[in-house]
DNA sequence: TTGTACGCGTTATCAG
DNA sequence: CTGATAACGCGTACAA
């Protein structure tokens, strides 16, 4: 069979994407030199570099991703899988992560798992198959095979949004349990004794579990029976928060404070409480978690926990850079989360003047 | 030089990613057959197909993306560039878009341009370089070279979130100008005559420009002088909405209704108004645009324009499928946006009883 | 400092 | 229906 090299399928006209070879021809050098100019400019002479870069610009050359990935065995792409993109919980963190990556010339691929372990596993495979050089994951909760897969494929990853000693994995985040305990302490300090919790499904969500546990910790520390805590588990959404609150208001004894697993649920709960004619915080106190923008604009503003969104994103990027470079990323990083007191938390009603 | 085929750099142990060849060996067939099993199962015999697929499963084989892209000249990846991911404006639409793509086995890459034309151009290049088969863009406003680039590269694209006759480009969306005029009509119907507008920067944002124009249309239609409209231009954010409102409240004559370019600005404005001790809608009416979740939970709930988020996403996917298949996508699609009346809009104060 | 040439893992064509 | 094998476009030892 005869070779027909380098003739475009369609030699008629300009559906063309210039390739390295074209640039090389125009600049009067070899493809190797062009490649070097782009990837390792230091080793080529000033004169040729200029010549080549001019040609590159003139032709609007951009490397073919597939070819590059195939040859370099590296994509300069990191992946992130977050449970949701429908609200702002992870938005700020991702933004910071992305900014840090961009500075290193790395592209971010974001996928969302909709809080489904199966979907997340699929996304992990997909991102790795697409050549992600490293991965950002949220929380520890996922099937062990996910971890063995990543290890087998030698893909570095970091667990964000949690810090809990070490699970043998590099993580960066805050102590969800401790943070919720602090918030619960603030609630208990105000005399509340009948508490309720609206939380996300705790089965596949270690953050939710830890937050829940933090509340129990606080109660136990004061000699309260955790069994008296009313709990509603539901998916994160404003509507669900509202529905959960309604449900809780029909329980006896009625709670005087409803703590929510995040601000989205809390916003829904708050809206519903007011819709039911309750005064917040006069009749009922409500707290959130995460301190996303919504917390400040609802009425009354939400007492919540501010989490270090941006620092988690930035820090995760640093850890992954180190890991990709084959360096030791060091131990997991603990960042601080702080209680933010706003108007949705007040003294317990029966204790008020 | 001697060829050293198919020996892994590291033959020591299992840092391995199985390749087509490995699967072929295990199944006792050629690589071509394995490839066919995966991409065009119909043409291989049942027996071999089973044999091959078993091997694939057993080895956990996943095709190498780069190689696949290089050989097939197709990535099964679509890209979307939205102005922002920091709030929910585009979240629902993107979600729907993604769901539609997934059904066709297509992965979505999302990038955000932060409302910067330069950044957007860069993102377009990046996504195309990464082999995006098609692109979703928001609005028409961008340098012509972006369009010529896409045309030259033969990358299909659709413009979403707008419908304005035809710019010679396929678009799917609603008529921003008409929608805002309807909302403004509702405001004017309630007796408001001193209006203000808080809008995003209109220079690179045709949606913002059209919405602004719609307001002018409504005023003109009633014989009001558009010159009396107080306008503040600012970036979409809650904080900016708040600041803009404060500024407007210091103008004379003070507006009785503040219309906002979107719900995020409106939420900020609303919060600020209440912080300033104003009664909404008693002293001041405020409107938003987009009808994202936040519109329902602020107090009072926002009168706004509901835009067809999900249908735009789904429809955009359909159009792109057709275009990628070389079919004629047909003309641009106009969807309906509807005014949603909620409590933040009331009668003009001086007209109230 | 630059050029030559091979291999990266798939797909697709063509011959059996 | 299956098997060889030539591209696909780039990176990079190795040679010059």
């Amino acid at each position: 069979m005869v070779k027909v090299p380098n003739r475009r399928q369609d030699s008629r006209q300009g559906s063309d994407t210039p390739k390295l070879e074209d640039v090389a021809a125009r600049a009067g050098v070899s493809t190797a030199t062009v490649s070097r100019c782009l990837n390792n400019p230091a080793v080529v002479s000033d004169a040729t570099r200029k010549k080549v870069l001019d040609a590159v610009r003139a032709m609007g050359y951009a490397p073919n991703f597939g070819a590059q990935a195939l040859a370099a065995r590296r994509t300069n792409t990191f992946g992130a899988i977050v449970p949701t993109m429908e609200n702002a919980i992870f938005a700020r963190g991702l933004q910071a992560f992305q900014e840090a990556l961009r500075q290193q010339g790395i592209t971010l691929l974001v996928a969302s798992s909709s809080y489904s372990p199966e979907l997340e596993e699929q996304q992990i495979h997909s991102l790795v198959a697409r050549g992600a050089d490293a991965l950002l994951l949220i929380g520890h909760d996922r099937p062990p095979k996910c971890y063995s897969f990543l290890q087998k494929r030698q893909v570095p990853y970091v667990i964000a949004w949690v810090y809990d000693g070490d699970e043998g994995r590099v993580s960066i985040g805050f102590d969800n349990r401790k943070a919720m305990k602090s918030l619960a302490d603030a609630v208990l300090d105000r005399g509340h004794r009948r508490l309720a919790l609206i939380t996300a499904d705790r089965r596949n969500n270690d953050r939710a579990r830890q937050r829940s546990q933090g509340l129990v910790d606080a109660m136990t520390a004061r000699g309260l029976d955790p069994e008296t805590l009313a709990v509603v588990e539901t998916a994160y959404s404003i509507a669900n928060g509202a529905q959960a609150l309604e449900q809780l208001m029909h329980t006896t004894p009625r709670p005087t404070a409803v703590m929510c697993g995040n601000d989205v649920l809390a916003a829904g709960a708050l809206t519903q409480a007011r819709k039911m004619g309750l005064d917040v915080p006069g009749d009922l106190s409500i707290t959130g978690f995460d301190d996303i923008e919504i917390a400040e604009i609802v009425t009354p503003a939400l007492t919540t926990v501010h989490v270090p969104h941006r620092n988690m994103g930035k820090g995760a990027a640093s850890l992954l850079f180190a890991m990709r470079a084959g360096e030791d990323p060091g131990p997991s990083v603990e960042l601080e989360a702080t209680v933010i007191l706003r108007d949705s938390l007040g003294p317990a009603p029966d204790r008020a003047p």
Side-chain angles (χ1 to χ4, degrees), chain A:
Chain A
M1 185 190 302
V2 186
K3 269 221 230 171
V4 186
N6 194 30
R7 170 112 52 93
R8 294 251 154 58
Q9 255 118 320
D10 183 346
S11 48
R12 280 166 292 170
Q13 46 127 352
S15 155
D16 56 351
T17 303
K19 42 159 74 169
L20 213 54
E21 200 178 307
D22 302 327
V23 178
R26 172 154 181 159
V29 299
S30 75
T31 59
T33 299
V34 178
S35 175
R36 277 189 289 255
C37 277
L38 265 27
N39 301 308
N40 196 4
V43 306
V44 337
S45 77
D46 286 8
T48 43
R49 182 172 48 228
K50 179 175 175 350
K51 223 169 30 183
V52 170
L53 292 182
D54 282 351
V56 164
R57 236 183 313 277
M59 311 185 69
Y61 169 79
N64 176 293
F65 178 74
Q68 202 168 28
L70 188 54
R73 311 162 135 272
R74 195 161 51 78
T75 58
N76 289 323
T77 297
F78 284 11
I81 303 174
V82 294
T84 180
M85 291 173 58
E86 293 212 35
N87 55 51
I89 308 183
F90 300 105
R92 283 223 295 285
L94 273 183
Q95 180 86 17
F97 186 59
Q98 180 164 29
E99 285 165 14
L101 295 191
R102 184 195 305 282
Q103 288 186 343
Q104 307 291 323
I106 289 179
T107 307
L108 174 63
L109 260 46
V110 184
S112 95
S113 66
S114 303
Y115 287 99
S116 151
E118 295 77 34
L119 207 65
E120 196 201 20
E121 185 180 354
Q122 195 178 312
Q123 308 269 33
I124 289 176
H125 281 91
S126 165
L127 285 175
V128 169
R130 302 183 73 74
D133 294 335
L135 248 44
L136 172 73
L137 303 172
I138 305 295
H140 288 286
D141 262 23
R142 56 183 59 79
K145 57 183 167 181
C146 289
Y147 294 113
S148 52
F149 172 78
L150 290 172
Q151 172 136 34
K152 179 173 166 204
R153 287 296 223 277
Q154 308 268 70
V155 178
Y157 61 88
V158 46
I159 307 296
W161 255 257
V162 293
Y163 177 85
D164 47 1
D166 252 6
E167 299 263 357
R169 291 186 273 276
V170 177
S171 69
I172 178 166
F174 56 95
D175 186 329
N176 282 273
R177 182 168 175 173
K178 196 169 65 181
M180 184 59 131
K181 176 169 188 305
S182 300
L183 180 59
D185 280 337
V187 171
L188 294 169
D189 284 346
R190 281 161 182 72
H192 295 276
R193 288 300 175 265
R194 298 195 303 279
L195 304 188
L197 172 66
I198 305 178
T199 175
D201 188 340
R202 289 170 292 188
R203 253 175 322 177
N204 306 302
N205 186 331
D206 50 351
R207 286 93 59 214
R209 225 161 39 237
Q210 288 165 359
R211 291 176 191 182
S212 165
Q213 189 58 48
L215 172 48
V216 169
D217 290 348
M219 292 179 73
T220 308
R222 309 228 180 180
L224 299 174
D225 180 4
E227 290 297 316
T228 66
L229 177 68
V231 177
V232 177
E233 260 187 30
T234 185
Y236 284 147
S237 88
I238 289 184
N240 286 339
Q243 198 192 324
L245 186 105
E246 168 141 45
Q247 187 179 331
L248 285 171
M249 288 305 101
H250 293 321
T251 61
T252 328
R254 211 166 83 170
T256 64
V258 175
M259 303 190 65
C260 301
N262 80 355
D263 288 345
V264 175
L265 289 174
L270 193 54
T271 309
Q272 179 64 26
R274 303 186 69 223
K275 196 170 287 172
M276 294 170 75
L278 295 170
D279 177 42
V280 179
D283 302 324
L284 179 69
S285 285
I286 292 180
T287 65
F289 204 112
D290 285 343
D291 195 25
I292 57 180
E293 261 193 332
I294 205 180
E296 277 193 88
I297 60 162
V298 291
T299 311
L302 275 176
T303 287
T304 187
V305 173
H306 178 78
V307 310
H309 299 279
R310 297 195 55 88
N311 284 338
M312 286 192 289
K314 243 177 59 181
S318 304
L319 291 172
L320 288 176
F321 291 147
M323 293 167 83
R324 188 179 66 148
E327 302 162 15
D328 176 7
S332 292
V333 179
E334 176 169 16
L335 301 173
E336 284 309 311
T338 53
V339 172
I340 306 284
L341 296 171
R342 297 205 187 93
D343 296 342
S344 72
L345 171 62
D350 40 357
R351 210 203 205 188

